[in-house]
Amino acid sequence: MILLNGPPGVGKSTIARRLRDDRPLSLLVDVDELWPLFGDWQHHDEAQGLAFAAGLGMARVHLQAGYDVVAPQFAVGQDFFEAIDSLVVETSAACQEIVLTGDPERVATQFRQRRSERTLAGQIDVSSNIPDERVDEVIARATEDLIAIAATRPHATVITTHGGVDSTYLRVREVLQRRSE
């Protein structure tokens, strides 16, 4: 299992799709893409929990079948990590945990750009609950929280994103390659 954590807009989903494409029969489990599958999800706080449970179920089945799972997810809650750790133990899978961080101002700009592109394309964006005037604050706080959490996770590697998607992707692949040796 490859867990990509990081603040919204840092590039987790983009890197995850590339990793999935490089790994035959791997499954991309992006919980943010599962929320809209639930009817009237915008008006029900439990939609996020249901999406996470569905994602865990998908990952469990795939890991038990012996295939890779790539999961991009911004997570700072202890419950999330306990669930992932339990899943890894239950399925006897290895977990490669990577935390992507970046300059908070640049990440906030990317976040706004992505949200604007989705809105213009008529796509659903689960980040719509973050008011535009709070994006900088949310991204900065998320980055701080993630670095603190990574320090408590023995198998987490922090990668700072700078230089674009291609260079970040190559650094992620290098980390995964070193860990598999």
Side-chain angles (χ1 to χ4, degrees):
M1 176 167 197
I2 301 169
L3 175 61
L4 295 174
N5 201 346
V10 77
K12 298 177 302 292
S13 295
T14 301
I15 299 297
R17 283 189 298 273
R18 289 185 66 177
L19 288 170
R20 182 229 23 227
D21 292 346
D22 284 348
R23 298 169 178 280
L25 297 179
S26 62
L27 176 66
L28 175 64
V29 178
D30 190 338
V31 173
D32 289 351
E33 299 296 326
L34 297 176
W35 288 26
L37 299 178
F38 293 90
D40 199 31
W41 64 274
Q42 303 94 322
H43 301 105
H44 297 276
D45 293 337
E46 62 270 28
Q48 182 179 9
L50 290 169
F52 180 61
L56 279 177
M58 293 168 60
R60 179 177 293 106
V61 168
H62 213 65
L63 291 169
Q64 287 173 334
Y67 297 105
D68 286 338
V69 170
V70 182
Q73 183 63 45
F74 165 56
V76 294
Q78 189 62 33
D79 291 351
F80 172 84
F81 293 104
E82 288 173 2
I84 294 297
D85 291 344
S86 292
L87 174 65
V88 167
V89 169
E90 176 188 336
T91 60
S92 300
C95 184
Q96 308 293 334
E97 191 173 334
I98 296 174
V99 177
L100 300 176
T101 65
D103 172 63
E105 190 173 306
R106 184 180 56 78
V107 172
T109 298
Q110 289 173 193
F111 174 86
R112 285 187 178 97
Q113 181 180 356
R114 180 192 68 194
R115 182 158 66 182
S116 175
E117 289 169 357
R118 287 181 177 171
T119 301
L120 288 172
Q123 297 173 338
I124 296 169
D125 188 358
V126 298
S127 71
S128 61
N129 62 338
I130 302 172
D132 197 53
E133 64 274 5
R134 291 201 55 230
V135 168
D136 292 305
E137 170 193 343
V138 168
I139 300 296
R141 177 65 189 258
T143 301
E144 291 172 13
D145 290 349
L146 286 164
I147 291 170
I149 287 167
T152 69
R153 305 278 302 160
H155 301 292
T157 300
V158 176
I159 295 177
T160 302
T161 62
H162 55 276
V165 172
D166 290 336
S167 64
T168 300
Y169 177 69
L170 290 174
R171 291 199 317 271
V172 168
R173 285 196 51 182
E174 288 171 9
V175 167
L176 295 173
Q177 182 63 35
R178 276 195 311 257
R179 288 186 180 172
S180 67
E181 294 174 347

